[in-house]
Amino acid sequence: MATFSNGSAYYDFRSVGQKKEVNELVRETFIYSFKSPKTRMRYMVEVEHYDCDLYALKFYLKDHQNSEERFNVLTNFNEARPVINTCIAILLDIYQKFSKASFAFIGSPSPKEIKREENDPRYRKENRTQRFRIYSTLMSTYFSEKYFDHHNSPKYSLYLMRNKQSEYTLKRMTEMINTIYDVDINDL
Amino acid sequence: MGRAKTNTTNKDHSANDKQTDKNACRGKIVLKKIKTEDLQKTRIASYGYLL
């Protein structure tokens, strides 16, 4: 275990690899791993590097790595805080290596939120998910406006921290994000 | 990571989300800057910043 300067604890992590030119959008993916000393479970973190110095961080339980729902499943291990803190420590590791990095993430809907939409179509599963609300709180708690501008789209549970040193405009980054997430008007 | 798939509308949006909704109907994610006062409201004040 390690602690941030503000006293919050996170798990020790290590870089376990890097995939180059994953597809036409992802330039490379940095792969990290950490093991919870509490549950002995291993987590995987993938940081995808896109154009515009944009990095998107995803994490999941290693046991779920082959599941299509690995970003949705809740582990119920009651260790969300140190796990998310570890992801933030990894985000800081990327920032130390790439000082112009901007960060984006989506708070994926839980199975309950997906089911809620199935039962009542008035709910959108992507809309202001529980994960989005938690991540938003932590981003505003840990990252001041000194180095990043904070942006979001609650409708898509999407959060962007745009690096103030970035040479790319918000408009350019938004275009990039729209390309990444490929929101199809026919699906809306 | 999420992907929009439904043709439903959540009627519980705040006024601030209405423009986002309008643009979303054209198939676009619109990112809005979070105001300083709103960041202050959501953050846990007892923790210090990391950056």
Side-chain angles (χ1 to χ4, degrees):
Chain A
M1 292 280 275
T3 53
F4 290 129
S5 56
N6 67 6
S8 299
Y10 62 92
Y11 298 146
D12 296 322
F13 63 88
R14 62 191 173 94
S15 171
V16 294
Q18 187 177 347
K19 285 188 273 187
K20 288 278 186 189
E21 296 177 11
V22 178
N23 58 44
E24 61 184 27
L25 289 173
V26 182
R27 290 183 170 191
E28 59 197 329
T29 301
F30 301 93
I31 304 168
Y32 292 82
S33 173
F34 61 91
K35 191 171 184 177
S36 162
K38 178 185 169 188
T39 61
R40 314 303 297 169
M41 301 303 286
R42 184 165 289 283
Y43 293 82
M44 303 302 295
V45 182
E46 296 181 7
V47 185
E48 294 177 336
H49 174 201
Y50 296 90
D51 282 349
C52 303
D53 296 327
L54 192 60
Y55 293 80
L57 192 146
K58 306 170 173 183
F59 71 95
Y60 52 87
L61 201 61
K62 190 169 190 296
D63 283 357
H64 297 158
Q65 65 182 348
N66 295 320
S67 167
E68 286 185 3
E69 296 177 348
R70 61 190 180 281
F71 301 119
N72 304 102
V73 175
L74 295 175
T75 63
N76 295 318
F77 291 152
N78 295 316
E79 58 174 357
R81 180 170 289 198
V83 166
I84 296 170
N85 280 349
T86 309
C87 292
I88 289 171
I90 290 168
L91 185 155
L92 290 169
D93 187 62
I94 293 286
Y95 178 72
Q96 283 172 357
K97 291 172 181 165
F98 309 104
S99 62
K100 291 186 177 180
S102 296
F103 297 94
F105 61 83
I106 275 187
S108 299
S110 66
K112 189 177 174 183
E113 286 166 327
I114 293 171
K115 196 161 184 65
R116 185 181 65 176
E117 185 194 0
E118 287 171 2
N119 293 335
D120 187 344
R122 288 177 298 177
Y123 290 105
R124 286 180 56 90
K125 60 180 179 292
E126 295 90 356
N127 192 345
R128 210 184 284 273
T129 63
Q130 182 185 27
R131 283 189 174 100
F132 170 76
R133 297 194 303 272
I134 292 169
Y135 300 163
S136 297
T137 297
L138 291 175
M139 292 302 125
S140 60
T141 297
Y142 290 156
F143 297 97
S144 71
E145 293 181 278
K146 187 175 180 182
Y147 301 104
F148 295 97
D149 285 325
H150 295 242
H151 304 265
N152 69 8
S153 169
K155 186 175 181 69
Y156 291 99
S157 292
L158 199 150
Y159 201 101
L160 169 71
M161 291 204 307
R162 180 180 169 274
N163 194 315
K164 288 191 170 181
Q165 290 188 66
S166 176
E167 60 200 76
Y168 300 101
T169 62
L170 174 63
K171 185 181 176 189
R172 177 76 185 86
M173 284 190 192
T174 304
E175 287 170 357
M176 186 66 211
I177 286 168
N178 272 286
T179 304
I180 295 167
Y181 293 109
D182 187 30
V183 177
D184 185 342
I185 189 168
N186 295 320
D187 285 344
L188 290 170
Chain B
M1 291 296 197
R3 174 182 161 86
K5 284 182 179 172
T6 69
N7 59 0
T8 58
T9 302
N10 187 333
K11 295 177 181 175
D12 194 26
H13 293 310
S14 68
N16 288 340
D17 294 342
K18 283 183 180 171
Q19 186 61 39
T20 307
D21 289 349
K22 194 176 171 184
N23 285 286
C25 290
R26 297 197 295 268
K28 293 286 182 189
I29 294 172
V30 177
L31 289 161
K32 290 182 65 173
K33 185 172 182 192
I34 307 172
K35 293 176 186 171
T36 301
E37 55 265 38
D38 290 333
L39 285 170
Q40 292 302 319
K41 277 182 205 167
T42 54
R43 78 180 299 267
I44 304 167
S46 57
Y47 284 90
Y49 288 118
L50 300 179
L51 279 178

